[in-house]
Amino acid sequence: MRVLGIETSCDETGIAIFDDQAGILSHQLYSQVKLHADYGGVVPELASRDHVRKTIPLIQAALQEAGLGKDDIDGIAYTAGPGLVGAILVGATIGRSLAMAWNKPAIAVHHMEGHLLAPMLEEQAPEFPFVALLVSGGHSMLVRVDGIGSYQLLGESIDDAAGEAFDKTAKLMGLDYPGGPLLSRLAEKGTTGRFHFPRPMTDRPGLDMSFSGLKTFAANTIAANGDDQQTRADIARAFEDAVVDTLAIKCRRALKETGLNRLVVAGGVSANRHLRSQLAELMASLNGEVFYPRPEYCTDNGAMIAYAGMQRLKAGVFEPLVVKAVPRWPLDSLAPVTDTLA
Ligand code: KG4
Ligand code: ZN
């Protein structure tokens, strides 16, 4: 069976074809980063219009890359939320319309389910149950995962997501959008310990997180110490250390609370090298395992949507003749997928 996946929830158009025997057959990605760079962030209406231009050509390219035609596709999965509603509507409408024209089922996929299942595309795939740390530009959450659709929210950010905190701090340090990876690169030249940022919400019990105070801390540190190149790198280092430490502390707590020793880390920030090495140390100390998607499946992509769509299609979970597009959609409102037909 093969599923075509369509991702358009933010500033990346991602299209992929997943085959349940052979894995990913094609993977097409177009990033709108250049389009939004002048504005310092994603402009929703520009994002929607660019998805209109790119989605169909990328679907054609994905079919060509795999050497397939419409008759070789068994279902069409599209991101139905959460995200920018105009951007989602483009992929949702194209996906739903193609499904109708090709007489195939359409599957409305939750974007964060896509992220959390992305490590399943790797050779070393995690088994259920596990704890997932989802850290993207829009969300930071810890989830207990017992199976496809069985998601228990353990904690989440009460303000900025981890990626958003990276991007906002990078912006106030004069780095281009999206600043997360650039800030991380700058941090590599910084000295650990010259500045110490707080580890928010780690001094009290619970798994919720808060990252918005760190950008203010960064702004105040710049104001007090100037912004020569080494100071900027030292501030970036202190910021990244604070985010990574906080996430590691929360992961340790979530694993202790659930009694699990498998950790999945996904979403754009899971590409962060410092986060990866610290979580590797944590899991080694706990005799556990940590799983990641490969770097191109950490940030938004069509492969994770095609994979999540396949799991639902196999279980007979697909949509009636409607277009689903929701800007807000709690992950733990999904129903467990139990009766897998495969
Ligand atoms: O998952 P994603 O592609 O999009 C959303 O669903 O939001 O995540 C994008 C986020 C951005 O905030 C970006 O700055 C951040 O992930 N990011 C990073 C790194 N790579 C991407 N943050 C820190 N270090 C990185 N290496
Ligand atoms: Zn995402």
Side-chain angles (χ1 to χ4, degrees), residues 6 12 14 76 88 145 202 213 269 285:
I6 304 174
E12 255 114 25
I76 297 166
I88 294 165
V145 179
T202 54
V269 183
S285 76

Side-chain angles (χ1 to χ4, degrees), residues 112 133-136 138-142 153 155-157 160-163 209 211 247:
M112 299 312 289
L133 171 69
L134 302 179
V135 272
S136 70
H139 295 85
S140 297
M141 38 178 148
L142 276 159
L153 185 66
E156 63 186 333
S157 174
D160 291 352
M209 300 164 248
F211 295 109
L247 291 173

Side-chain angles (χ1 to χ4, degrees), residues 12 111 115 136-138 163-164 166-167 178-181 184 267-269 271-272 298-300:
E12 255 114 25
H111 181 78
H115 275 304
S136 70
E164 190 179 1
F166 263 97
D167 294 342
S184 180
V269 183
N272 185 279
C298 284
T299 44
D300 290 347

Side-chain angles (χ1 to χ4, degrees), residues 5-16 27-33 46-59 87 90-91 94 300-303:
I6 304 174
E7 158 61 37
T8 65
S9 69
C10 191
D11 58 350
E12 255 114 25
T13 316
I15 308 291
H27 177 230
Q28 299 282 330
L29 188 75
Y30 174 78
S31 170
Q32 302 178 349
V33 161
L46 293 182
S48 312
R49 291 181 200 188
D50 216 32
H51 287 306
V52 170
R53 282 189 284 270
K54 294 294 182 326
T55 305
I56 290 175
L58 285 185
I59 291 173
V90 177
I94 292 174
D300 290 347
N301 65 84

Side-chain angles (χ1 to χ4, degrees), residues 1-3 16-20 23-25 121 306-307 310-311:
M1 276 171 94
R2 296 185 197 98
V3 168
I17 298 170
F18 177 72
D19 179 307
D20 65 345
I24 292 294
L25 301 180
L121 288 163
Y307 179 83
M310 174 66 84
Q311 307 316 308

